[in-house]
Amino acid sequence: MKRIVFYLLLWGIIMLSTGCQGKKTDKSDNDQTVTQSINTVKKTAPLVIPEETQLLLKELVDNGDYVNSNNYPSLIKASIVHEEIGKNIQIIDLRSTDKYASGHVSGAVNKDFKDLPLYFETGIRPFEFDKIVIVCDDGSLSSYTTALLRLMGYGNVYSMRWGMSAWNKDYAEKGWLANVNGKFEQLLEKAVNEKAPGTKMPELGTGFKTGQEIADSRFKKLFSDGVSNVFVTADEVFANPSSYYIINLERKDKYENGHIPGAIRFKPESTLGFPAEMASIPIDKPVVVYCGTGHNSGFATGFLRLFGYDARTLRYGNNGFMYNKMVNDKDVLSWLPFTKDEVNDFEVVK
């Protein structure tokens, strides 16, 4: 059904593009009529969806429409990873070599983000594993990485929720527990900010003619670019919120209970892959995506960057600036604040 809706939407875009010329204004028409005609054309201007973007959208839909499937986002608990150690599972640790050497999950291999495409092509036979689990410090990088790998077609890849902070208290005390805070709770706003009508999506400019070639080119670029500008902190965002286009990926009641000033709510289940929604996101401004933990937003950021947006995920999500409020309203709004209850007591190897 989603595939049918997608094709109908693309067909509608094409029809709008070819049918919005309108009738010529007769010379005898007065200035008011001319003005009204111009305004009408402006209001009904079609979305601009570049050809490469359309091909990439179709390619992803044909390959399972991951971001709108039941497998999205692909997160796995540390306890499940621990239970499957020694079984048909591959664990990939994206942390620095020093952190990996000081202690890691048994059986985990240490890989740099940029090296993953080659590793998946020649280093392992990915589909022979039941699960491939990506691990990082806090779960943000592993979520972003898992999104890209899933979109590439690796359907058995998962991101370990909370990162190594969920493995044992030593990592939690230096990681999540050291970074949750409520320092910007007093600056939240409750006003509903409406998104602008969709206008256009970024030009990809790969020069290729097929969806597969375009996808391969985009994935290659994202991995070669690295992750230096993929993440942003609450301090950076609250210092000047207006310099970003801020996307809130939360339920309506959570959004209305308090959000970053200027943030616009996008429904997680009906944004990614839908041109009318994505086209409302500016293509000339940094985009910050945030959720409760930085995990879901990491997945969304991967998808948006694939389509050329300058998207970043807010590390630690709401936990990084309104933690006390999350704890107090947990039962009412089903918030997910990181607490010691999320921390296990698992051993590491060196």
Side-chain angles (χ1 to χ4, degrees), residues 5-302:
V5 171
F6 172 81
Y7 287 128
L8 288 174
L9 185 55
L10 281 183
W11 177 250
I13 292 170
I14 294 171
M15 292 303 292
L16 278 172
S17 299
T18 58
C20 66
Q21 299 299 322
K23 297 181 179 179
K24 293 184 178 180
T25 304
D26 189 87
K27 294 181 180 180
S28 62
D29 291 343
N30 58 34
D31 291 341
Q32 182 178 1
T33 302
V34 172
T35 301
Q36 290 174 344
S37 298
I38 293 173
N39 290 336
T40 299
V41 171
K42 287 182 178 179
K43 290 179 181 179
T44 59
L47 298 179
V48 178
I49 312 297
E51 183 178 359
E52 285 193 16
T53 301
Q54 294 184 37
L55 290 171
L56 180 56
L57 283 166
K58 182 179 182 300
E59 175 72 14
L60 296 180
V61 169
D62 289 346
N63 287 326
D65 197 14
Y66 169 63
V67 294
N68 293 298
S69 72
N70 293 330
N71 296 317
Y72 176 90
S74 305
L75 294 163
I76 189 171
K77 293 182 178 180
S79 57
I80 296 178
V81 176
H82 184 262
E83 290 175 1
E84 299 195 11
I85 290 178
K87 298 180 182 179
N88 191 31
I89 183 174
Q90 175 68 66
I91 303 170
I92 300 175
D93 191 325
L94 296 181
R95 295 176 302 153
S96 68
T97 54
D98 289 341
K99 288 184 177 180
Y100 174 81
S102 67
H104 54 267
V105 179
S106 178
V109 297
N110 189 210
K111 294 295 175 182
D112 186 88
F113 171 82
K114 293 184 178 181
D115 297 332
L116 287 178
L118 182 61
Y119 179 66
F120 270 70
E121 290 174 9
T122 64
I124 57 173
R125 295 179 177 178
F127 297 109
E128 291 186 354
F129 294 101
D130 292 332
K131 294 183 181 70
I132 298 175
V133 179
I134 312 296
V135 178
C136 69
D137 287 300
D138 54 37
S140 294
L141 175 55
S142 59
S143 293
Y144 174 72
T145 305
T146 298
L148 297 182
L149 292 170
R150 281 270 182 165
L151 290 166
M152 291 173 72
Y154 298 109
N156 56 347
V157 181
Y158 296 84
S159 170
M160 191 168 81
R161 186 185 288 275
W162 308 116
M164 288 299 289
S165 287
W167 202 254
N168 66 42
K169 64 179 181 180
D170 292 336
Y171 296 100
E173 289 174 353
K174 298 175 183 178
W176 268 89
L177 292 176
N179 285 282
V180 296
N181 66 81
K183 63 191 299 183
F184 296 114
E185 290 177 343
Q186 302 306 314
L187 299 180
L188 301 179
E189 72 170 5
K190 295 186 177 181
V192 175
N193 302 303
E194 300 293 343
K195 64 174 69 74
T199 55
K200 65 182 301 183
M201 291 178 67
E203 292 276 359
L204 299 179
T206 69
F208 291 107
K209 302 299 182 182
T210 70
Q212 181 63 64
E213 290 174 323
I214 294 167
D216 290 344
S217 176
R218 291 298 301 155
F219 286 124
K220 181 179 180 180
K221 177 170 174 51
L222 290 178
F223 277 102
S224 64
D225 284 348
V227 295
S228 60
N229 65 340
V230 173
F231 306 100
V232 66
T233 66
D235 286 341
E236 293 173 300
V237 174
F238 276 90
N240 190 8
S242 62
S243 64
Y244 303 96
Y245 183 83
I246 305 173
I247 295 177
N248 173 285
L249 286 180
E250 291 287 6
R251 289 192 331 235
K252 184 173 182 290
D253 55 348
K254 290 184 176 182
Y255 173 80
E256 293 179 347
N257 192 249
H259 50 265
I260 299 174
I264 297 174
R265 177 178 171 265
F266 281 72
K267 297 178 181 179
E269 69 280 3
S270 58
T271 297
L272 303 180
F274 293 84
E277 290 291 303
M278 293 176 65
S280 68
I281 302 172
I283 63 176
D284 57 354
K285 191 175 187 178
V287 178
V288 172
V289 188
Y290 81 99
C291 62
T293 62
H295 298 156
N296 289 10
S297 60
F299 280 87
T301 296

Side-chain angles (χ1 to χ4, degrees), residues 329-348:
D329 296 341
K330 179 180 179 179
D331 294 336
V332 178
L333 293 174
S334 302
W335 284 116
L336 190 60
F338 184 86
T339 67
K340 292 182 179 180
D341 292 338
E342 306 292 344
V343 183
N344 294 283
D345 188 25
F346 301 145
E347 294 182 354
V348 296

